[in-house]
Amino acid sequence: MSSILLVNHVSKTYQSGSKSLTVLNDINFEIKPGSSVAIVGPSGSGKTTLLGLCAGLDGASSGNIILNGKSLDQLSEDERAAIRNQHVGFIFQSFNLLPTLTALENVMVPLELLGKKNVKPQALELLEKVGLGDRIHHYPAQLSGGEQQRVSIARAFANQPKILFADEPTGNLDEETGAVIENLIFNLNKESGTTLVMVTHDGELAQRTNRILKLKGGKLADDSQQNSNISNSH
Amino acid sequence: MQNISWLLKMAWRDSRKNRSRLFLFMSSIVLGIAALVAINSFGDNLTTQINSEAKELLGADVEIESRNPIPDSLRQFLSELNIEQSEELSFASMVYFPNTGGTRLVNIRAVEGDYPFYGQIVTTPKQAAEEFYLQNNALVDQSLMLQFNAKTGDSVKVGDLSFLIAGEVNKTPGQSAITTTVAPPVFIPLSQLESTGLLQTGSRINYKLYIKFPEGVNYTTFFKEKLEPRLEKEEVRYDDVEERKEELGDAYSDLTGFLNLTAFIALLLGCMGVASSVQVYVKEKVQSVAILRCLGASSSQGVWIYLIQIFFMGLIGSLIGAALGTVIQYYLPQLFKDFLPFEIELFISGFAILQGVVIGVITSVLFALFPLLQIRKISPLKVLRASFEPEQKDRMKYFVFFLVVLFIFGFSFSQLRDWQNALVFTIGLILSALILFGVGKLIIWLVRRYFPTGSSFVVRQGLANLYRPNNQTLILVITIGIGTALITTLLLSQDLLLNKVKMSSSANQPNMVLFDIQEHQVNELTEMTIADSLPVIQQVPIVTMRLASLKGRSVDELKNDTTTNIKNWVLNREYRVTYRDELIESETLIEGEFQGEVQNSNDSIFVSLDKGLSEDMKVDIGDPITFNVQGAMIKTYVGSIREIDWQRVQTNFLVLFPEGVLEEAPKFHVLLTRYEDVNQSAAYQQKIVKKFPNISIIDLDLILKTLDEVLGKISFIIQFMAFFSIITGIIVLIGSVSISKFQRIQEAVLLRTIGASKKQIIRINLMEYFFLGSIASLTGIFIALLATWALAYFSFETAFVPNFGGALVAYIAITGLTVLIGLMNSRSVVNKPPLEILRKEV
Ligand SMILES: Nc1ncnc2c1ncn2[C@@H]1O[C@H](COP(=O)(O)OP(=O)(O)OP(=O)(O)O)[C@@H](O)[C@H]1O
Ligand SMILES: [Mg+2]
């Protein structure tokens, strides 16, 4: 397989009443397995929209997206959910943990959805890795923002995804905590050889990826390759 | 099935933080289920008891009944079969209590020998039931004893004879307190009946023969082979044990069926509460479901997690309801004791409990499906942004609605055992919910449209709270409204009935009827009446007769012809006929010509028929009818048809003869008069009963008293059932207050932060609940007025005079209760420091 993600002439138009708003206009790119990509651009340029389309959370108005060899527009909502469960991981700006589940249970959910048995040790190990081995029975409301984001990172890596989508993972955190989270993401990414697609406003963070896609006014304004040390490292 | 176990696990995990709320949702169905289980268990108990006690209820193996004396040939036949017999003659008559001077129309039961063969007449003192046969003794119903302040050992006069009261009757086989309220029994020995002088022509006597089979015979074969063929040949009615079981069983399953439907209404209200709470619950769960969808859960998995929670809460709620219902069941005999002909032995009915739990789970899940279905449409995109998505039309919703309607119909059918009535109930229920929904919506819209922008901050804020997001105003209006409507309708229609009776006696209308007057008593009675300054408003001769033939075909022929469509009552009944030469006020001629008099004995006789009777007889003007007037055949023709206003206190007659035909026939008279006060009536009745003991008197006072008593007993039961609906409405209210608690806390904190005082916040809440309670109770009262008007117009056919006083009391009570509960629930919101609450609730 030459690419994990192929975005082919993708446009997205929102219809509100009689007005239509084109948010993404004929986007094309391709991402190699194991690489890391940052999507940058001004607010409202369509970064989140693009990420959502790539992960199969929404359908494109035209064009098609091929994720891990499967054309998303030919799949039903539930089939896309199954692909997300098997191959995709998520990290969100606002953490998005299930508030009624403990940290441990939150990490276990993707594994359980896969139908795996005896998933607790694996989830525990992941929580140890993000440094929360002693907080496993706490509910999200009992954790700080940084701690919550660490749980969500552990959850994102739980199903050993082929590709990980992150939407401003450090956006809600202070600089210091943000740095810890960044390191965690990159380290785990390196360890497991996952592809990383990350939306960020943080220039420094973008610099740590292999490639930066710049969106402007719904168009791909710039596509620059940079140090490929990460993708080459295995 | 790994999937199911994961769903169960997720449902359980997710419920941990929501248990108390989930439980609150379900508490709204607890009372509905409790009522259902209690009524059904009780019904189960009743059926068992009827089946095991049928003989005791009948007092015999078979009861034979006739309007004429039981033929000796039949008695002879029974004796030859070694069947024991006990005879009873019963009829209405006045009794007189010399000690207090009281008089009243009662049911005289002259009995002999060993009746009852099974069970017993329960008396105080105990031995009175057996000893009274031996002497000139009587047994008097306990309510009569109480009414006339009579004691054992006093005397009571029946006809010409004085009896010693040997004891009071507490219970007779097969009779309930309600039947004895209407016609209180006085037992006398059959051997003494002759000497009372009451056995005269014209008295309507009911002859009964209680029989007991010889020892050792098989009941069914003996009855079917030896007895029934003979009884069928006689002009008698008879009830065997099986038939009595069936009659009683039917009567009580009608009763329990009706009560079950009221319980069901409470349950449905509770379920609407559940649906509305779950709606709010689901809105809070949108984010969680979106995350799960992101992680790869399918849309149906999302629904299942919450459906499982609702299922278990429904199960727990139903189990608690069933337990409560089983407890309530033990208090039901108290409630129904006046309607039951026996003391009931209670047992726990497993079937009723199972039925209640199954119904509870099904209804709660069905109703919760409405909001739960929205979960399927939650997009995982919600995780990325709280995007606004236009609500999609969901065809599944119509399907669920169809299921709900089907279920309601199925349930009402199982209770009413008649699909037409079940359909009427189902449609009526949906219609009244729609009316409530519409009226509630209208009132809310009106308040919003004419919002008092000029009023104080507190009033405006309180009103605005009714429109807060996730508000449950409408559902509260519906649940509290239906409860209010039920109770108010009950009170108003009870009033209506009593008023109707009272009104019928207004302004010169007669309010006392004397009947069974013998021919030779007429003149003296008229004089006595005038001497007591009572007007003789009407004095009518009555001749009893039966139908002999109709349009040339004999009654027997018609009875055997199944194609005629002539109603049986027309052929079988005893006609009480009068004759006069003019129509009276309550009659209108609608067809033919009224003949007032027959001049020559050879002339044709033209009678006048009631419109309904002519329709049921299938006769027109000119058709011949022959009457059997106590042996003499009289041929007549239909001369005219009258419409009769049955609402008036009048002596109205289905068949009216012209003068000059019946003058010589054996007859009795009826006299109508009017008294102005109760003392006058009592004195007059006393004189009549002493002088003419065979004359029976019904006065309006007695009817009112009896009606009031009977209605009181019935409405107490219905109120008890309606109570479940009201309480359910209150629980739904409590639930909705708790659901909005977090929102309320935030608002209160915000208001206090910007400087509102505790008092102001309490006042805002007070206003909110005041408006809510007002809208709900006014909607309910509006519907009750509508329903009572419909009842007055269609059923009672009387003028509707709304009782605004009663409506006002209902309004104040319900609104007050709503405010009280609302304030109690939101107390914790204002009484704690803002910060503490915020921490605790998150
Ligand atoms: N459902 C929708 N209907 C209409 N317009 C939408 C909808 N969702 C997003 N948009 C619009 O699409 C544009 C792109 O939104 P998007 O969230 O992708 O931007 P972004 O690049 O992620 O911005 P930010 O950096 O602020 O997160 C915005 O102008 C937004 O208003
Ligand atoms: Mg964004």
Side-chain angles (χ1 to χ4, degrees), chain B residues 304-370:
Chain B
W304 274 110
I305 289 172
Y306 296 100
L307 198 59
I308 288 170
Q309 287 183 354
I310 301 296
F311 171 84
F312 278 106
M313 284 302 130
L315 186 65
I316 292 169
S318 302
L319 287 173
I320 294 172
L324 186 65
T326 310
V327 174
I328 292 174
Q329 180 202 346
Y330 282 86
Y331 292 93
L332 287 181
Q334 211 44 39
L335 191 66
F336 288 102
K337 67 173 191 298
D338 289 338
F339 294 85
L340 299 179
F342 44 66
E343 300 272 321
I344 192 153
E345 277 163 43
L346 293 171
F347 59 87
I348 292 173
S349 162
F351 178 71
I353 290 174
L354 184 73
Q355 194 187 13
V357 170
V358 168
I359 287 173
V361 171
I362 291 178
T363 43
S364 47
V365 167
L366 268 184
F367 274 78
L369 266 180
F370 284 110

Side-chain angles (χ1 to χ4, degrees), chain B residues 610-648:
Chain B
D610 163 61
K611 178 167 170 271
L613 179 69
S614 73
E615 280 161 9
D616 285 352
M617 272 186 172
K618 305 248 177 301
V619 291
D620 283 316
I621 302 290
D623 285 340
I625 303 176
T626 304
F627 287 100
N628 176 347
V629 185
Q630 292 157 57
M633 295 296 165
I634 298 185
K635 181 159 187 184
T636 66
Y637 299 91
V638 180
S640 62
I641 292 171
R642 292 160 300 143
E643 180 125 50
I644 300 173
D645 177 8
W646 293 98
Q647 303 296 315
R648 312 268 194 97

Side-chain angles (χ1 to χ4, degrees), chain A residues 43-44 46-49 93 167-168 199 201, chain B residues 384-385:
Chain A
S43 183
K47 306 182 292 290
T48 299
T49 308
Q93 176 176 3
D167 192 1
E168 297 180 40
V199 169
H201 278 294
Chain B
L384 295 179
R385 65 167 71 84

Side-chain angles (χ1 to χ4, degrees), chain B residues 162-182:
Chain B
S162 263
F163 291 84
L164 193 73
I165 300 177
E168 63 175 54
V169 183
N170 308 114
K171 200 114 218 170
T172 35
Q175 282 209 310
S176 62
I178 210 97
T179 52
T180 60
T181 303
V182 177

Side-chain angles (χ1 to χ4, degrees), chain A residues 77 81 84 96 100 105 112, chain B residues 6 13-14 16 293 383:
Chain A
E77 180 47 52
R84 284 199 294 275
N96 278 321
T100 51
E105 286 164 352
E112 290 170 337
Chain B
W6 181 73
R13 284 172 181 162
D14 185 78
R16 276 176 312 204
R293 305 277 286 123
V383 174

